[in-house]
Coordinates of all heavy atoms in Angstrom, one line a residue:
M886 N -77.3 68.7 -122.2 CA -76.9 69.7 -123.2 C -76.6 71.0 -122.5 O -77.3 71.4 -121.6 CB -78.1 69.9 -124.1 CG -78.5 68.7 -125.0 SD -77.3 68.4 -126.3 CE -77.7 69.8 -127.4
P887 N -75.5 71.6 -123.0 CA -75.2 72.9 -122.4 C -76.2 74.0 -122.8 O -77.0 73.8 -123.8 CB -73.8 73.2 -123.0 CG -73.8 72.4 -124.3 CD -74.6 71.2 -124.0
P888 N -76.1 75.2 -122.2 CA -77.1 76.2 -122.5 C -76.8 76.8 -123.9 O -75.6 76.8 -124.4 CB -76.8 77.3 -121.5 CG -75.5 77.0 -120.9 CD -75.3 75.5 -121.0
L889 N -77.8 77.2 -124.6 CA -77.7 77.8 -125.9 C -78.2 79.2 -125.8 O -79.3 79.5 -125.3 CB -78.5 77.0 -127.0 CG -78.1 75.6 -127.3 CD1 -79.1 74.9 -128.2 CD2 -76.7 75.6 -127.9
I890 N -77.5 80.1 -126.4 CA -77.8 81.5 -126.3 C -78.3 82.0 -127.7 O -77.7 81.8 -128.7 CB -76.6 82.4 -125.9 CG1 -76.2 82.1 -124.5 CG2 -77.0 83.9 -126.0 CD1 -74.9 82.8 -124.1
D891 N -79.5 82.5 -127.7 CA -80.1 83.1 -128.9 C -79.5 84.5 -129.1 O -79.9 85.4 -128.4 CB -81.6 83.1 -128.8 CG -82.3 83.6 -130.1 OD1 -81.7 84.3 -130.9 OD2 -83.5 83.3 -130.3
E892 N -78.6 84.6 -130.1 CA -77.9 85.9 -130.2 C -78.9 87.0 -130.6 O -78.6 88.2 -130.4 CB -76.8 85.7 -131.3 CG -75.7 84.7 -130.8 CD -74.5 84.7 -131.8 OE1 -74.4 85.6 -132.6 OE2 -73.7 83.8 -131.6
S893 N -80.0 86.7 -131.3 CA -80.9 87.7 -131.7 C -81.7 88.3 -130.5 O -82.1 89.4 -130.6 CB -81.9 87.2 -132.7 OG -82.8 86.2 -132.1
K894 N -81.8 87.6 -129.4 CA -82.4 88.1 -128.2 C -81.5 88.7 -127.2 O -81.8 89.5 -126.4 CB -83.2 86.9 -127.5 CG -84.4 86.4 -128.3 CD -85.1 85.3 -127.5 CE -86.3 84.7 -128.2 NZ -86.8 83.6 -127.5
C895 N -80.2 88.2 -127.2 CA -79.2 88.6 -126.2 C -78.9 90.1 -126.3 O -78.6 90.6 -127.4 CB -78.0 87.7 -126.4 SG -76.6 88.2 -125.3
I896 N -78.9 90.8 -125.2 CA -78.5 92.2 -125.1 C -77.1 92.4 -124.6 O -76.8 93.5 -124.3 CB -79.6 93.0 -124.3 CG1 -79.7 92.4 -122.9 CG2 -80.9 93.0 -125.0 CD1 -80.5 93.3 -121.9
R897 N -76.4 91.3 -124.5 CA -75.0 91.4 -124.0 C -74.8 92.1 -122.7 O -73.9 92.9 -122.4 CB -74.1 92.2 -125.0 CG -73.8 91.4 -126.3 CD -74.9 91.2 -127.2 NE -74.5 90.8 -128.6 CZ -75.2 90.2 -129.4 NH1 -76.5 89.9 -129.2 NH2 -74.7 89.8 -130.6
C898 N -75.7 91.7 -121.7 CA -75.7 92.3 -120.4 C -74.6 91.6 -119.5 O -74.2 92.2 -118.5 CB -77.0 92.3 -119.7 SG -77.6 90.6 -119.3
G899 N -74.4 90.4 -119.8 CA -73.3 89.6 -119.0 C -73.9 89.0 -117.8 O -73.1 88.4 -117.0
L900 N -75.1 89.1 -117.5 CA -75.7 88.6 -116.2 C -75.5 87.0 -116.1 O -75.1 86.5 -115.1 CB -77.2 88.9 -116.1 CG -77.8 88.6 -114.8 CD1 -77.1 89.4 -113.7 CD2 -79.3 89.0 -114.8
C901 N -75.7 86.4 -117.2 CA -75.5 84.9 -117.2 C -74.0 84.5 -116.8 O -73.8 83.6 -116.0 CB -75.8 84.3 -118.5 SG -75.0 85.0 -119.9
A902 N -73.1 85.3 -117.3 CA -71.7 85.0 -116.9 C -71.4 85.3 -115.5 O -70.6 84.6 -114.8 CB -70.8 85.9 -117.8
E903 N -72.1 86.3 -114.9 CA -71.9 86.6 -113.5 C -72.6 85.6 -112.6 O -72.1 85.3 -111.6 CB -72.6 88.0 -113.2 CG -71.8 89.2 -113.7 CD -72.5 90.5 -113.4 OE1 -73.2 90.6 -112.4 OE2 -72.4 91.4 -114.2
I904 N -73.7 85.1 -113.0 CA -74.6 84.3 -112.2 C -74.1 82.8 -112.2 O -74.4 82.1 -111.2 CB -76.0 84.4 -112.6 CG1 -77.0 84.0 -111.4 CG2 -76.4 83.5 -113.8 CD1 -77.1 85.1 -110.4
C905 N -73.5 82.3 -113.2 CA -73.2 80.9 -113.3 C -72.2 80.5 -112.1 O -71.1 81.1 -112.0 CB -72.5 80.6 -114.6 SG -72.0 78.9 -114.7
P906 N -72.6 79.6 -111.3 CA -71.8 79.2 -110.1 C -70.5 78.6 -110.5 O -69.5 78.5 -109.7 CB -72.7 78.3 -109.3 CG -73.6 77.7 -110.3 CD -73.9 78.8 -111.3
L907 N -70.4 78.1 -111.8 CA -69.2 77.4 -112.2 C -68.3 78.3 -113.1 O -67.3 77.8 -113.5 CB -69.6 76.1 -112.9 CG -70.3 75.1 -112.1 CD1 -70.7 73.9 -112.9 CD2 -69.5 74.7 -110.9
G908 N -68.8 79.5 -113.4 CA -68.0 80.3 -114.3 C -67.8 79.8 -115.7 O -66.7 79.9 -116.2
L909 N -68.8 79.2 -116.2 CA -68.7 78.5 -117.5 C -68.7 79.4 -118.7 O -68.3 79.0 -119.8 CB -69.8 77.5 -117.7 CG -69.9 76.4 -116.6 CD1 -70.9 75.3 -117.0 CD2 -68.5 75.8 -116.4
F910 N -69.2 80.7 -118.5 CA -69.3 81.6 -119.7 C -68.0 82.4 -119.8 O -67.4 82.8 -118.8 CB -70.4 82.5 -119.5 CG -71.8 81.8 -119.5 CD1 -72.4 81.4 -118.4 CD2 -72.5 81.7 -120.7 CE1 -73.6 80.8 -118.4 CE2 -73.7 81.1 -120.8 CZ -74.3 80.6 -119.6
R911 N -67.6 82.7 -121.0 CA -66.6 83.7 -121.2 C -67.2 84.9 -121.9 O -68.0 84.7 -122.9 CB -65.5 83.1 -122.2 CG -64.3 83.9 -122.4 CD -63.3 83.2 -123.3 NE -62.8 82.0 -122.7 CZ -62.5 80.9 -123.4 NH1 -62.7 80.8 -124.7 NH2 -62.0 79.8 -122.8
F912 N -67.0 86.0 -121.3 CA -67.7 87.2 -121.8 C -66.8 88.5 -121.7 O -66.2 88.8 -120.7 CB -69.0 87.5 -120.9 CG -69.7 88.7 -121.3 CD1 -70.2 88.8 -122.6 CD2 -70.0 89.7 -120.4 CE1 -71.0 90.0 -123.0 CE2 -70.7 90.9 -120.8 CZ -71.2 91.0 -122.1
D913 N -66.7 89.1 -122.8 CA -66.0 90.4 -122.9 C -66.9 91.4 -123.5 O -67.3 91.5 -124.7 CB -64.8 90.2 -123.9 CG -64.1 91.5 -124.1 OD1 -64.3 92.5 -123.4 OD2 -63.3 91.5 -125.1
K914 N -67.4 92.3 -122.5 CA -68.4 93.3 -122.9 C -68.0 94.2 -124.1 O -68.7 94.5 -125.0 CB -68.8 94.1 -121.7 CG -70.1 94.9 -121.9 CD -70.5 95.5 -120.6 CE -71.8 96.2 -120.7 NZ -73.0 95.4 -120.7
A915 N -66.7 94.5 -124.0 CA -66.2 95.4 -125.0 C -66.2 94.9 -126.5 O -66.2 95.6 -127.4 CB -64.7 95.8 -124.7
S916 N -66.2 93.6 -126.6 CA -66.3 92.9 -127.9 C -67.6 93.1 -128.6 O -67.7 93.0 -129.8 CB -65.9 91.4 -127.8 OG -67.0 90.8 -127.2
G917 N -68.6 93.3 -127.8 CA -70.0 93.4 -128.4 C -70.6 92.1 -128.7 O -71.7 92.0 -129.3
N918 N -69.9 91.0 -128.4 CA -70.4 89.6 -128.7 C -71.2 89.1 -127.5 O -70.9 89.5 -126.4 CB -69.3 88.7 -129.1 CG -68.6 89.1 -130.3 OD1 -69.2 89.5 -131.3 ND2 -67.3 89.0 -130.4
P919 N -72.1 88.2 -127.7 CA -72.8 87.5 -126.6 C -71.8 86.6 -125.9 O -70.7 86.3 -126.4 CB -73.9 86.7 -127.3 CG -73.5 86.6 -128.7 CD -72.6 87.7 -129.0
P920 N -72.1 86.2 -124.6 CA -71.2 85.3 -123.9 C -71.0 84.0 -124.7 O -71.9 83.6 -125.4 CB -71.9 85.1 -122.6 CG -72.8 86.3 -122.4 CD -73.2 86.7 -123.8
E921 N -69.9 83.4 -124.5 CA -69.6 82.1 -125.1 C -69.6 81.1 -123.9 O -69.1 81.3 -122.9 CB -68.3 82.2 -125.7 CG -67.8 80.8 -126.2 CD -66.2 80.9 -126.5 OE1 -65.7 82.0 -126.4 OE2 -65.7 79.8 -126.9
V922 N -70.2 79.9 -124.2 CA -70.2 78.8 -123.2 C -68.8 78.2 -123.4 O -68.6 77.3 -124.3 CB -71.3 77.8 -123.4 CG1 -71.3 76.8 -122.3 CG2 -72.7 78.6 -123.4
A923 N -67.9 78.5 -122.5 CA -66.5 78.1 -122.7 C -66.3 76.6 -122.3 O -65.4 76.0 -122.8 CB -65.6 79.0 -122.0
F924 N -67.0 76.2 -121.3 CA -66.8 74.8 -120.8 C -68.2 74.1 -120.7 O -68.7 73.8 -119.7 CB -66.2 74.9 -119.4 CG -65.0 75.8 -119.3 CD1 -65.0 77.0 -118.8 CD2 -63.8 75.3 -119.8 CE1 -63.9 77.9 -118.8 CE2 -62.6 76.1 -119.8 CZ -62.7 77.4 -119.2
P925 N -68.7 73.8 -121.9 CA -70.1 73.2 -121.9 C -70.2 71.9 -121.2 O -71.3 71.6 -120.6 CB -70.4 73.0 -123.4 CG -69.0 73.1 -124.1 CD -68.2 73.9 -123.2
D926 N -69.2 71.1 -121.2 CA -69.3 69.8 -120.6 C -69.4 69.9 -119.0 O -69.7 68.9 -118.4 CB -68.1 68.9 -121.0 CG -68.2 68.5 -122.4 OD1 -69.3 68.6 -123.0 OD2 -67.1 68.2 -123.0
E927 N -69.1 71.0 -118.5 CA -69.0 71.2 -117.0 C -70.4 71.6 -116.5 O -70.5 71.8 -115.2 CB -68.0 72.2 -116.6 CG -66.6 71.9 -117.1 CD -66.0 70.6 -116.5 OE1 -66.3 70.3 -115.4 OE2 -65.4 69.8 -117.3
C928 N -71.3 71.9 -117.3 CA -72.6 72.5 -116.9 C -73.3 71.5 -115.9 O -73.5 70.4 -116.2 CB -73.5 72.8 -118.1 SG -75.1 73.5 -117.6
W929 N -73.8 72.1 -114.8 CA -74.6 71.3 -113.8 C -76.1 71.3 -114.1 O -76.8 70.7 -113.4 CB -74.4 71.9 -112.4 CG -73.1 71.5 -111.8 CD1 -72.1 70.6 -112.2 CD2 -72.6 72.1 -110.5 NE1 -71.1 70.6 -111.3 CE2 -71.3 71.5 -110.3 CE3 -73.1 73.0 -109.6 CZ2 -70.6 71.8 -109.2 CZ3 -72.3 73.4 -108.5 CH2 -71.1 72.7 -108.3
H930 N -76.5 72.1 -115.1 CA -77.9 72.2 -115.4 C -78.7 72.8 -114.2 O -79.8 72.3 -113.9 CB -78.5 70.9 -115.9 CG -77.8 70.3 -117.1 ND1 -76.8 69.5 -117.0 CD2 -78.0 70.6 -118.4 CE1 -76.3 69.2 -118.2 NE2 -77.0 69.8 -119.1
C931 N -78.1 73.7 -113.5 CA -78.8 74.3 -112.3 C -79.9 75.3 -112.8 O -80.7 75.6 -112.0 CB -77.8 75.0 -111.5 SG -77.1 76.6 -112.2
N932 N -79.9 75.7 -114.0 CA -80.9 76.6 -114.6 C -80.8 78.0 -114.2 O -81.7 78.8 -114.6 CB -82.3 76.0 -114.3 CG -83.2 76.1 -115.5 OD1 -82.8 76.0 -116.6 ND2 -84.5 76.4 -115.2
S933 N -79.8 78.4 -113.4 CA -79.7 79.8 -113.0 C -79.6 80.8 -114.1 O -80.3 81.8 -114.1 CB -78.5 80.0 -112.1 OG -78.6 79.2 -110.9
C934 N -78.8 80.4 -115.1 CA -78.6 81.4 -116.2 C -79.9 81.5 -117.0 O -80.3 82.6 -117.4 CB -77.5 80.9 -117.1 SG -77.7 79.2 -117.8
V935 N -80.7 80.4 -117.1 CA -82.0 80.5 -117.9 C -83.0 81.4 -117.1 O -83.6 82.3 -117.7 CB -82.6 79.1 -118.0 CG1 -83.9 79.2 -118.7 CG2 -81.6 78.2 -118.9
L936 N -83.0 81.2 -115.8 CA -84.0 81.9 -115.0 C -83.7 83.4 -114.9 O -84.5 84.3 -114.8 CB -84.1 81.3 -113.6 CG -84.7 79.9 -113.5 CD1 -84.6 79.4 -112.1 CD2 -86.1 79.9 -114.0
D937 N -82.4 83.8 -114.9 CA -82.0 85.1 -114.6 C -81.8 86.0 -115.9 O -81.7 87.2 -115.8 CB -80.7 85.2 -113.8 CG -81.0 84.9 -112.4 OD1 -82.1 84.6 -112.0 OD2 -80.0 84.9 -111.5
C938 N -81.7 85.3 -117.0 CA -81.6 86.1 -118.3 C -82.8 87.0 -118.5 O -83.9 86.5 -118.6 CB -81.4 85.2 -119.5 SG -81.4 86.1 -121.0
P939 N -82.5 88.3 -118.6 CA -83.7 89.3 -118.7 C -84.4 89.2 -120.0 O -85.5 89.7 -120.1 CB -83.0 90.6 -118.5 CG -81.6 90.4 -118.9 CD -81.2 89.0 -118.5
K940 N -83.8 88.6 -121.0 CA -84.4 88.5 -122.3 C -84.8 87.1 -122.7 O -85.2 86.8 -123.8 CB -83.4 89.0 -123.4 CG -83.2 90.5 -123.3 CD -84.5 91.2 -123.5 CE -84.3 92.7 -123.4 NZ -85.6 93.4 -123.6
K941 N -84.7 86.2 -121.8 CA -85.1 84.8 -122.0 C -84.4 84.3 -123.3 O -85.0 83.6 -124.1 CB -86.6 84.6 -122.1 CG -87.4 85.1 -121.0 CD -88.5 84.2 -120.5 CE -89.2 84.7 -119.3 NZ -88.4 85.0 -118.1
A942 N -83.1 84.6 -123.4 CA -82.3 84.2 -124.6 C -81.6 82.9 -124.4 O -81.0 82.4 -125.4 CB -81.3 85.3 -124.8
I943 N -81.7 82.3 -123.2 CA -81.0 81.0 -123.0 C -81.9 79.9 -122.9 O -82.9 79.9 -122.2 CB -80.1 81.1 -121.7 CG1 -79.2 82.3 -121.8 CG2 -79.3 79.8 -121.5 CD1 -78.4 82.5 -120.5
T944 N -81.6 78.8 -123.6 CA -82.4 77.6 -123.5 C -81.4 76.5 -123.0 O -80.2 76.5 -123.3 CB -83.1 77.1 -124.8 OG1 -82.1 77.1 -125.8 CG2 -84.2 78.1 -125.2
L945 N -82.0 75.6 -122.3 CA -81.2 74.5 -121.7 C -82.0 73.2 -121.7 O -83.1 73.2 -121.2 CB -80.9 74.9 -120.2 CG -80.0 73.9 -119.4 CD1 -78.5 74.0 -119.9 CD2 -80.0 74.3 -118.0
R946 N -81.4 72.2 -122.3 CA -82.1 70.9 -122.3 C -81.6 70.1 -121.2 O -80.4 69.7 -121.2 CB -81.9 70.2 -123.7 CG -82.9 69.1 -123.8 CD -82.7 68.2 -124.9 NE -82.5 68.9 -126.2 CZ -82.0 68.3 -127.3 NH1 -81.6 67.0 -127.3 NH2 -81.9 69.0 -128.4
V947 N -82.4 69.9 -120.2 CA -82.0 69.2 -119.0 C -82.0 67.7 -119.3 O -83.0 67.2 -119.8 CB -82.9 69.5 -117.8 CG1 -82.5 68.8 -116.5 CG2 -82.9 71.0 -117.5
P948 N -80.9 67.0 -118.9 CA -80.9 65.5 -119.1 C -82.1 64.8 -118.5 O -82.5 65.2 -117.4 CB -79.6 65.1 -118.5 CG -78.7 66.3 -118.4 CD -79.7 67.5 -118.3
L949 N -82.5 63.8 -119.1 CA -83.7 63.1 -118.6 C -83.6 62.6 -117.2 O -84.5 62.8 -116.4 CB -84.0 61.9 -119.5 CG -85.2 61.0 -119.1 CD1 -86.5 61.9 -119.2 CD2 -85.4 59.8 -120.1
C950 N -82.5 62.1 -116.8 CA -82.3 61.6 -115.4 C -82.5 62.8 -114.4 O -83.0 62.6 -113.3 CB -80.9 61.0 -115.2 SG -79.6 62.0 -115.6
Q951 N -82.1 64.0 -114.8 CA -82.3 65.1 -113.9 C -83.7 65.6 -113.9 O -84.2 66.1 -112.9 CB -81.3 66.2 -114.2 CG -79.9 65.9 -113.9 CD -79.0 67.1 -114.1 OE1 -79.4 68.2 -114.3 NE2 -77.7 66.8 -114.0
M952 N -84.4 65.5 -115.0 CA -85.8 65.8 -115.0 C -86.6 64.9 -114.1 O -87.5 65.4 -113.4 CB -86.4 65.7 -116.4 CG -86.0 66.8 -117.4 SD -87.1 66.6 -118.8 CE -86.0 66.7 -120.1
L953 N -86.3 63.6 -114.1 CA -87.0 62.7 -113.3 C -86.7 63.0 -111.8 O -87.6 62.9 -111.0 CB -86.6 61.2 -113.6 CG -87.0 60.8 -115.0 CD1 -86.3 59.4 -115.3 CD2 -88.5 60.7 -115.1
L954 N -85.5 63.3 -111.5 CA -85.1 63.6 -110.1 C -85.9 64.8 -109.6 O -86.4 64.9 -108.6 CB -83.6 63.9 -110.0 CG -83.1 64.2 -108.6 CD1 -83.3 63.0 -107.7 CD2 -81.6 64.5 -108.7
H955 N -85.9 65.9 -110.5 CA -86.7 67.1 -110.2 C -88.1 66.8 -109.9 O -88.7 67.2 -108.9 CB -86.6 68.1 -111.3 CG -87.4 69.3 -111.1 ND1 -87.0 70.3 -110.3 CD2 -88.6 69.7 -111.6 CE1 -87.9 71.3 -110.3 NE2 -88.9 70.9 -111.1
R956 N -88.7 65.9 -110.7 CA -90.1 65.6 -110.5 C -90.3 64.8 -109.2 O -91.3 65.1 -108.5 CB -90.6 64.8 -111.7 CG -92.1 64.5 -111.6 CD -92.6 63.9 -112.9 NE -94.0 63.7 -112.8 CZ -94.7 63.3 -113.8 NH1 -94.2 63.1 -115.0 NH2 -96.0 63.2 -113.7
D957 N -89.4 63.9 -108.9 CA -89.6 63.1 -107.7 C -89.5 64.0 -106.5 O -90.3 63.9 -105.5 CB -88.5 62.1 -107.6 CG -88.8 60.9 -108.6 OD1 -89.9 60.8 -109.0 OD2 -87.9 60.1 -108.8
V958 N -88.5 64.9 -106.4 CA -88.4 65.8 -105.3 C -89.6 66.7 -105.1 O -90.1 66.9 -104.0 CB -87.1 66.7 -105.5 CG1 -87.0 67.8 -104.4 CG2 -85.8 65.8 -105.4
R959 N -90.1 67.2 -106.2 CA -91.3 68.0 -106.2 C -92.5 67.3 -105.6 O -93.2 67.8 -104.8 CB -91.6 68.5 -107.6 CG -92.7 69.5 -107.7 CD -92.1 70.9 -107.3 NE -93.1 71.6 -106.5 CZ -92.9 72.8 -105.9 NH1 -91.7 73.3 -106.0 NH2 -93.8 73.3 -105.2
Q960 N -92.6 66.0 -106.0 CA -93.7 65.2 -105.5 C -93.6 65.0 -104.0 O -94.6 65.0 -103.3 CB -93.8 63.9 -106.3 CG -94.3 64.1 -107.7 CD -94.2 62.8 -108.5 OE1 -93.5 61.9 -108.2 NE2 -94.9 62.7 -109.6
L961 N -92.4 64.8 -103.6 CA -92.1 64.5 -102.2 C -92.5 65.8 -101.4 O -93.1 65.8 -100.3 CB -90.6 64.2 -101.9 CG -90.2 62.8 -102.3 CD1 -88.7 62.6 -102.2 CD2 -90.9 61.7 -101.5
Y962 N -92.1 66.9 -101.9 CA -92.4 68.2 -101.3 C -93.9 68.4 -101.2 O -94.4 68.8 -100.1 CB -91.7 69.3 -102.1 CG -92.0 70.7 -101.5 CD1 -91.4 71.2 -100.4 CD2 -93.0 71.5 -102.2 CE1 -91.7 72.5 -99.9 CE2 -93.3 72.8 -101.7 CZ -92.6 73.2 -100.5 OH -92.9 74.5 -100.1
D963 N -94.6 68.2 -102.3 CA -96.0 68.4 -102.3 C -96.7 67.4 -101.3 O -97.7 67.8 -100.7 CB -96.6 68.2 -103.7 CG -96.1 69.4 -104.6 OD1 -95.7 70.4 -104.1 OD2 -96.2 69.2 -105.9
A964 N -96.2 66.2 -101.3 CA -96.8 65.2 -100.4 C -96.7 65.6 -98.9 O -97.5 65.4 -98.1 CB -96.2 63.8 -100.7
G965 N -95.6 66.3 -98.6 CA -95.3 66.7 -97.3 C -96.2 67.8 -96.8 O -96.3 68.0 -95.6
K966 N -96.8 68.5 -97.7 CA -97.7 69.6 -97.3 C -99.1 69.2 -97.0 O -99.8 69.9 -96.4 CB -97.7 70.6 -98.5 CG -96.4 71.4 -98.7 CD -96.6 72.6 -99.5 CE -97.2 72.4 -100.9 NZ -97.2 73.5 -101.8
E967 N -99.4 67.9 -97.3 CA -100.8 67.4 -97.1 C -100.9 66.9 -95.7 O -100.0 66.5 -95.0 CB -101.1 66.4 -98.2 CG -101.2 67.0 -99.6 CD -101.3 65.9 -100.6 OE1 -101.3 64.7 -100.3 OE2 -101.4 66.2 -101.8
Ligands
SF4_2100 S1 -78.1 87.1 -119.4 FE1 -79.2 86.8 -121.4 S2 -79.2 88.8 -122.4 FE2 -77.7 88.9 -120.8 S3 -75.7 88.3 -121.8 FE3 -76.6 86.4 -120.9 S4 -77.8 85.6 -122.7 FE4 -77.4 87.7 -123.1
SF4_2101 S1 -77.2 75.9 -116.1 FE1 -76.1 76.6 -114.2 S2 -74.1 75.6 -114.4 FE2 -75.0 75.5 -116.4 S3 -74.3 77.3 -117.5 FE3 -76.3 77.8 -116.6 S4 -75.7 78.8 -114.6 FE4 -73.9 77.6 -115.3

């Protein structure tokens, strides 16, 4: 699922548009509108926009296969510290 922006929380700072490595957001500060996810199908679910949004206005539903991968990598990392 592509990122969703809660317009009531968004302060139109444009940081998500700047930070997205794929340039998926379309943002025109002068319009006063929040960024638009212009290419939702291209999202890599890297979570950068979610983490960097100063107002926590972005939610992202990560696909199940990626959640499992994340968990596996984390477990490998933790096991390596022991
Ligand atoms: S980073 Fe957050 S507050 Fe800033 S424009 Fe994007 S959604 Fe809105
Ligand atoms: S999750 Fe990553 S790729 Fe997807 S819109 Fe946010 S910053 Fe861009």
Side-chain angles (χ1 to χ4, degrees):
M886 293 286 290
L889 294 174
I890 297 176
D891 183 336
E892 296 189 14
S893 67
K894 292 182 181 174
C895 175
I896 57 170
R897 283 70 165 161
C898 68
L900 190 57
C901 53
E903 286 178 30
I904 204 80
C905 177
L907 300 179
L909 302 188
F910 294 91
R911 190 177 294 143
F912 179 58
D913 175 14
K914 196 173 184 74
S916 74
N918 296 321
E921 171 194 357
V922 185
F924 309 101
D926 294 339
E927 305 295 322
C928 178
W929 281 351
H930 304 91
C931 70
N932 219 34
S933 299
C934 56
V935 175
L936 293 174
D937 284 3
C938 174
K940 291 297 178 182
K941 307 224 178 302
I943 305 177
T944 53
L945 182 70
R946 195 188 309 163
V947 178
L949 180 60
C950 58
Q951 291 189 6
M952 281 194 232
L953 295 172
L954 181 64
H955 175 77
R956 185 169 184 174
D957 286 346
V958 169
R959 187 79 220 173
Q960 286 171 342
L961 286 172
Y962 176 76
D963 291 343
K966 290 196 302 188
E967 293 172 359

